[in-house]
Amino acid sequence: MAAQNGSTMRLPHPPTVATWATAGGKRESTSPFAQGFDLLYDDNRLERKTWEQAEAFLLEQTARRCLEKGSITPEQVNLALAGDLQAQCTASGYAMRQLQIPFAGLYGACSTMAESLALGACLSSTGLAEQILVMTASHFCAAERQFRMPLNYGGMRTPTSQWTATAAGCVLLRSEGQGVRIPSVSFGRVQDLQVKDITNMGAAMAPAAADTLLRYFQAMGVSANEFDAIFTGDLGQVGSELLEQLMAQAGMPLHNHQDCGCLLYGSDPQVGAGGSGCGCSAAVLGTHILPELESGRYRRVLFVATGALMSQATFLQKESIPGIAHLVELTAPEK
Amino acid sequence: MAAQNGSTMRLPHPPTVATWATAGGKRESTSPFAQGFDLLYDDNRLERKTWEQAEAFLLEQTARRCLEKGSITPEQVNLALAGDLQAQCTASGYAMRQLQIPFAGLYGACSTMAESLALGACLSSTGLAEQILVMTASHFCAAERQFRMPLNYGGMRTPTSQWTATAAGCVLLRSEGQGVRIPSVSFGRVQDLQVKDITNMGAAMAPAAADTLLRYFQAMGVSANEFDAIFTGDLGQVGSELLEQLMAQAGMPLHNHQDCGCLLYGSDPQVGAGGSGCGCSAAVLGTHILPELESGRYRRVLFVATGALMSQATFLQKESIPGIAHLVELTAPEK
């Protein structure tokens, strides 16, 4: 895993997180971070006809709440970067149809919150866009049908499997102003250690998180313990253990590592190895990481969201599961 | 269709197209632009096991040829932006697994070549990344299975249907140097006039092309006839006529409009209303538009790739088809 400085970008004018919003569904209402959500829905259908429409609506409502909190209208946003897990990213497409903001679609699987933050921060830092929305969503029922089996099949879950969050997160980035800052970002490379078990995504993604962290530390000349916390999302319990092993083997042990997938549902026994889905790390970012940075309890953290880049077709074709991890450095507001 | 200046970005240091490469399959070998392809494959399977793997391989080979033409190695590229039509963009994910370049995944359906060029140009123009690869691919057989029916069903094609190109394009952008330049870009908004016919994508996408063009002209204070040509991709014959009607109605008739979908296969009677797929506009860009700009025959053109943001699931759920169009201004090298 050689370092490649080019993929780590120090932003000359670190953009600020002006505000953000998060939304969750029924299970998210029992999260240890439940109080941090802006919107919580008892009914995961959100009064829509399909799970897919429910996800699009969840994302749209989260974006609208973020705009409200930022006291701006959709017309004042230069660009929205959004992605989700549905085939052809339709949750984002249909949400953006309602919002009418210029829109560039992303696909980073569960790494989308970090990918959109990283790309948005680059565009924002250079003044090309004054106000950018970055966002993502996932929906448990839409994702089960998309990647595994329709819920009606009542398939058994393995202990290594993770629970796709019904959640969305949206962040408003500004090139100027007060707030949490993004001084640097790093885009990941696809890593594939030939894991083929689609009920063990954490194992497939852990090598990507290790690769991105090691390249970032080398490019920036820093070590893990210079950060108050390093958040991955969403390796779950299995993937987190593998990441910690890989980092220790590389001589860079992580003593301050937490995983969004392990955090979101606390010790809920139904979720298997933890949470997952684009919305999981987005929700932990919005309900825990950003508030703790704003209050100054954290001064400097890394947010490293991971994604598994497979589909149902590639699984049926017996392909292995490639993983990717994008990294965003977040620092507390200057006093 | 009100103008919104925020989505049009004038790039302070227009990046250059250092080089590019294109690849095509069997039908593309009979294109009027066949001689412009860097790679042509007689067998659309490319000696892979599946159509999906063939598409990933096509994209990978196109990127490798582009790197060769630019005399650089993958390690010298700061970032690759790539997307395709497969669910979860797996063609791009598996291609990037082989290339090991830091990678941000995009989804813009058939607008991906313009989306990746526009985002890449923004990042490149600001010096954050010196060398960026932007690329996309599509594959007829993978796309038919993905969006409509497996080929084995032998479904009849309607006259309005378009032929997904088996093609890939890759462009190397540099923040410095000689070459075709990108002085401005514009990101589109999702437009949806309630077209529900998945065999008539041109009609679904035409309103998005009109919206982006009108907003761009207003933001830049220019009119259509200041450009040597305005290329859309891929509206096909049906969508092109609708776009020209919409533009005439808006008081901005297009007398210099050409469509990549109408151009790629010439008058081939088998292709219906024209070509489509991410690879179609990417192939016309690489085999026709960029060469004509480099030779100086064109001085200033617009490249406006359009995408239909639906999936098989949203079609079966009877959703309408949202469209999007992203715009890139291209100018001839300075003498």
Side-chain angles (χ1 to χ4, degrees):
Chain A
M1 297 187 205
Q4 184 185 39
N5 295 346
S7 62
T8 294
M9 298 174 189
R10 291 173 201 252
L11 305 183
H13 305 286
T16 54
V17 171
T19 190
W20 65 89
T22 48
K26 191 173 175 186
R27 184 176 297 276
E28 292 67 31
S29 309
T30 62
S31 161
F33 305 133
Q35 290 201 319
F37 282 91
D38 296 275
L39 300 164
L40 281 170
Y41 295 88
D42 271 349
D43 167 20
N44 279 2
R45 205 63 167 263
L46 282 77
E47 300 177 14
R48 306 293 117 181
K49 278 192 205 164
T50 66
W51 304 121
E52 286 75 13
Q53 285 182 19
E55 184 176 344
F57 186 73
L58 190 74
L59 185 57
E60 179 197 339
Q61 293 308 307
T62 310
R64 290 197 190 279
R65 179 57 66 96
C66 188
L67 293 171
E68 268 173 40
K69 289 171 80 174
S71 304
I72 58 169
T73 63
E75 292 72 29
Q76 292 173 292
V77 179
N78 300 100
L79 182 64
L81 299 170
D84 59 90
L85 294 175
Q86 289 181 22
Q88 287 76 46
C89 300
T90 47
S92 304
Y94 285 98
M96 296 311 305
R97 176 178 72 181
Q98 303 307 112
L99 291 165
Q100 288 298 301
I101 297 168
F103 160 55
L106 306 182
Y107 187 76
C110 304
S111 75
T112 305
M113 196 68 227
E115 184 192 352
S116 62
L117 266 175
L119 279 173
C122 289
L123 295 173
S124 184
S125 122
T126 56
L128 277 175
E130 286 169 21
Q131 303 199 100
I132 293 185
L133 282 189
V134 303
M135 62 180 107
T136 190
S138 58
H139 193 296
F140 175 74
C141 310
E144 285 301 305
R145 171 150 74 189
Q146 181 68 235
F147 290 98
R148 286 162 291 261
M149 288 187 287
L151 291 182
N152 322 41
Y153 281 37
M156 291 288 286
R157 298 170 58 79
T158 68
T160 56
S161 71
Q162 295 174 235
W163 189 278
T164 303
T166 300
C170 180
V171 171
L172 172 64
L173 296 174
R174 284 202 179 120
S175 48
E176 304 288 342
Q178 282 296 303
V180 171
R181 288 188 182 274
I182 303 180
S184 66
V185 304
S186 190
F187 293 97
R189 298 182 305 178
V190 177
Q191 302 295 307
D192 188 339
L193 297 192
Q194 299 294 308
V195 172
K196 293 189 176 188
D197 179 0
I198 55 161
T199 64
N200 190 358
M201 300 294 216
M205 298 188 291
D211 182 64
T212 299
L213 280 167
L214 290 169
R215 288 188 304 115
Y216 177 80
F217 292 148
Q218 189 169 336
M220 297 286 286
V222 297
S223 70
N225 51 27
E226 292 178 37
F227 300 89
D228 296 323
I230 294 173
F231 291 93
T232 53
D234 309 292
L235 299 175
Q237 287 164 17
V238 178
S240 291
E241 281 171 31
L242 290 171
L243 171 65
E244 289 169 22
Q245 283 176 23
L246 287 169
M247 294 300 287
Q249 280 167 14
M252 183 67 74
L254 295 181
H255 300 297
N256 48 0
H257 170 240
Q258 298 183 66
D259 182 71
C260 297
C262 295
L263 291 169
L264 183 62
Y265 298 114
S267 56
D268 185 334
Q270 274 198 295
V271 301
S276 72
C278 310
C280 179
S281 57
V284 174
L285 179 73
T287 59
H288 174 65
I289 303 171
L290 288 174
E292 297 284 15
L293 280 161
E294 273 226 325
S295 73
R297 201 175 84 80
Y298 290 141
R299 300 296 306 164
R300 188 183 186 197
V301 309
L302 295 180
F303 175 66
V304 192
T306 56
L309 301 176
M310 34 65 76
S311 71
Q312 204 170 47
T314 64
F315 164 68
L316 292 170
Q317 291 170 357
K318 303 197 186 343
E319 292 274 0
S320 57
I321 302 172
I324 198 159
H326 302 295
L327 177 152
V328 177
E329 180 190 4
L330 297 162
T331 57
E334 285 155 30
K335 294 292 170 200
Chain B
M1 298 187 205
Q4 183 185 40
N5 296 346
S7 62
T8 294
M9 298 174 188
R10 292 173 200 252
L11 305 183
H13 306 287
T16 55
V17 171
T19 190
W20 65 90
T22 47
K26 192 173 176 185
R27 184 176 297 277
E28 293 66 32
S29 309
T30 63
S31 161
F33 304 134
Q35 289 201 320
F37 282 91
D38 295 276
L39 301 164
L40 282 170
Y41 295 88
D42 272 347
D43 168 20
N44 278 3
R45 205 62 166 264
L46 282 77
E47 300 177 16
R48 306 293 117 179
K49 278 191 206 165
T50 65
W51 304 122
E52 287 74 15
Q53 284 181 19
E55 183 176 344
F57 187 72
L58 190 74
L59 184 57
E60 179 197 339
Q61 293 307 308
T62 310
R64 291 198 189 279
R65 179 58 64 96
C66 188
L67 293 172
E68 268 173 40
K69 289 172 80 174
S71 304
I72 58 169
T73 62
E75 291 73 28
Q76 293 173 292
V77 179
N78 300 100
L79 182 64
L81 299 170
D84 59 90
L85 293 176
Q86 289 181 22
Q88 287 77 45
C89 300
T90 47
S92 304
Y94 285 97
M96 296 311 305
R97 177 179 72 179
Q98 303 308 112
L99 291 165
Q100 287 298 300
I101 297 169
F103 160 55
L106 306 183
Y107 187 76
C110 303
S111 75
T112 305
M113 196 67 227
E115 184 191 352
S116 62
L117 266 174
L119 279 173
C122 289
L123 295 173
S124 184
S125 122
T126 56
L128 277 175
E130 285 169 22
Q131 303 199 100
I132 294 186
L133 283 189
V134 302
M135 63 181 107
T136 189
S138 57
H139 193 295
F140 175 74
C141 310
E144 286 301 305
R145 172 150 73 191
Q146 180 68 235
F147 290 98
R148 286 161 290 262
M149 289 187 288
L151 291 182
N152 322 41
Y153 282 36
M156 291 288 286
R157 297 170 59 78
T158 67
T160 55
S161 70
Q162 294 174 235
W163 188 277
T164 303
T166 300
C170 180
V171 171
L172 173 63
L173 295 173
R174 283 201 179 121
S175 48
E176 305 287 342
Q178 282 296 302
V180 171
R181 287 187 182 275
I182 303 180
S184 65
V185 303
S186 189
F187 293 96
R189 299 182 303 179
V190 177
Q191 302 295 308
D192 188 338
L193 298 192
Q194 298 295 309
V195 171
K196 293 189 175 187
D197 179 0
I198 56 162
T199 64
N200 191 358
M201 300 295 215
M205 297 187 290
D211 182 65
T212 299
L213 280 167
L214 290 170
R215 289 189 302 115
Y216 178 79
F217 293 148
Q218 188 169 334
M220 297 287 285
V222 297
S223 70
N225 51 28
E226 291 178 37
F227 300 90
D228 296 322
I230 294 173
F231 292 94
T232 53
D234 308 294
L235 299 175
Q237 288 164 17
V238 178
S240 292
E241 281 170 31
L242 289 171
L243 171 65
E244 290 169 21
Q245 283 175 24
L246 287 169
M247 294 300 287
Q249 281 167 14
M252 185 66 76
L254 295 181
H255 300 297
N256 48 0
H257 170 240
Q258 297 182 65
D259 181 72
C260 297
C262 295
L263 291 169
L264 183 62
Y265 298 114
S267 55
D268 185 334
Q270 273 198 296
V271 300
S276 71
C278 309
C280 178
S281 57
V284 174
L285 179 74
T287 59
H288 175 65
I289 304 172
L290 289 174
E292 297 283 15
L293 281 161
E294 273 226 326
S295 73
R297 200 175 84 82
Y298 291 140
R299 300 296 307 164
R300 188 184 186 198
V301 310
L302 295 179
F303 176 65
V304 191
T306 55
L309 301 176
M310 33 65 76
S311 72
Q312 204 170 47
T314 64
F315 163 69
L316 293 169
Q317 291 170 357
K318 303 198 188 338
E319 291 274 1
S320 57
I321 304 172
I324 197 159
H326 301 295
L327 177 152
V328 177
E329 180 190 4
L330 296 163
T331 57
E334 285 154 30
K335 294 292 171 200

